[in-house]
Amino acid sequence: MFLKTKAVQLWARRLHIYISMALLFVVLFFAVTGITLNRPELYVKSKPSVSEVTLTLPDALITSGSRPFVPDESALIAFLTSEGDVSGKPSAMEVFTDVEDGELIEGEITLDYKGPGFNASVYVDLINREAIIEKTHYGAVAVFNDLHKGRNSGEVWKWFIDITALLMIFFVLTGVCLLLPKKKTLSNSLVWTAVGSLSTLLIFLCAVP
């Protein structure tokens, strides 16, 4: 059988070992955060930390956009991120202005930042040229839980989760490949596979509402 050949067994053993070491701390991370996600009442802060920051917008920022009295979106976001010490992915700006005879009567901008275990609401008063940032931190456990789910953690982290999942699949498959030539170990392993699979199915059918 092809899978039992010496070359295949050699590479399966190498991949199994190297993948297991590469994923050592990653698997521990996802295992621990699996527990914290399953029991949020024990590990997640019931009262998040909320703080507020008020910034004065520079005159150059107000006139940087193509619309009168409305800042350029990228320039405003860069200013808020650096001066307001906020992280996460910003939303698109929602802008309301009322201009009469070239004079700004009323103007406001709202946007949000969202990141793992964190969000911020931003309100910009274009009349007073002030930005009010309300930041909410949900604690370190909430950060780890959001990373586990890939929530508000960016495209690169999502790819990291996908690649990690693929490596876990390779880890399982190489383990199966290594078991095939060992008849005694294989038979015992198949028994435990059946026990684990049937137990999971029975719990799902009998205990899940």
Side-chain angles (χ1 to χ4, degrees):
M1 184 178 178
F2 173 73
L3 294 178
K4 295 182 180 180
T5 61
K6 186 176 180 179
V8 171
Q9 287 292 303
L10 176 63
W11 278 105
R13 184 174 292 104
R14 286 178 177 175
L15 287 173
H16 193 74
I17 293 171
Y18 296 152
I19 291 173
S20 67
M21 295 311 297
L23 294 181
L24 176 63
F25 291 107
V26 178
V27 172
L28 284 174
F29 168 78
F30 282 106
V32 171
T33 51
I35 297 173
T36 58
L37 277 169
N38 195 45
R39 301 289 182 180
E41 69 278 3
L42 299 178
Y43 303 104
V44 177
K45 292 170 63 175
S46 57
K47 292 184 178 179
S49 173
V50 181
S51 60
E52 188 174 285
V53 175
T54 301
L55 302 174
T56 300
L57 302 182
D59 294 340
L61 184 64
I62 295 295
T63 58
S64 65
S66 57
R67 297 169 56 184
F69 309 107
V70 178
D72 176 75
E73 183 170 355
S74 60
L76 176 61
I77 288 173
F79 174 80
L80 295 172
T81 301
S82 61
E83 299 299 321
D85 191 26
V86 290
S87 58
K89 183 179 180 180
S91 67
M93 296 192 321
E94 294 186 8
V95 182
F96 170 76
T97 57
D98 184 10
V99 180
E100 291 184 7
D101 299 325
E103 182 180 352
L104 183 65
I105 305 301
E106 187 176 356
E108 63 182 36
I109 296 172
T110 57
L111 67 148
D112 297 312
Y113 284 78
K114 291 186 182 295
F118 169 84
N119 64 60
S121 298
V122 181
Y123 171 78
V124 179
D125 186 338
L126 293 174
I127 298 292
N128 297 322
R129 300 192 175 185
E130 285 186 343
I132 300 173
I133 307 172
E134 185 179 88
K135 298 184 283 187
T136 306
H137 295 269
Y138 296 92
V141 174
V143 174
F144 297 147
N145 287 349
D146 281 351
L147 288 173
H148 182 110
K149 295 182 289 185
R151 182 172 181 262
N152 299 323
S153 35
E155 195 63 30
V156 173
W157 185 262
K158 287 184 178 180
W159 275 105
F160 174 75
I161 293 176
D162 291 341
I163 293 169
T164 299
L166 288 173
L167 289 175
M168 288 180 181
I169 293 171
F170 274 109
F171 176 74
V172 172
L173 293 178
T174 52
V176 172
C177 183
L178 289 172
L179 279 172
L180 288 176
K182 303 171 184 177
K183 294 182 180 180
K184 291 183 179 179
T185 308
L186 177 61
S187 59
N188 290 333
S189 299
L190 290 175
V191 171
W192 282 107
T193 300
V195 170
S197 301
L198 288 173
S199 299
T200 303
L201 181 61
L202 286 173
I203 292 172
F204 171 70
L205 293 175
C206 301
V208 176

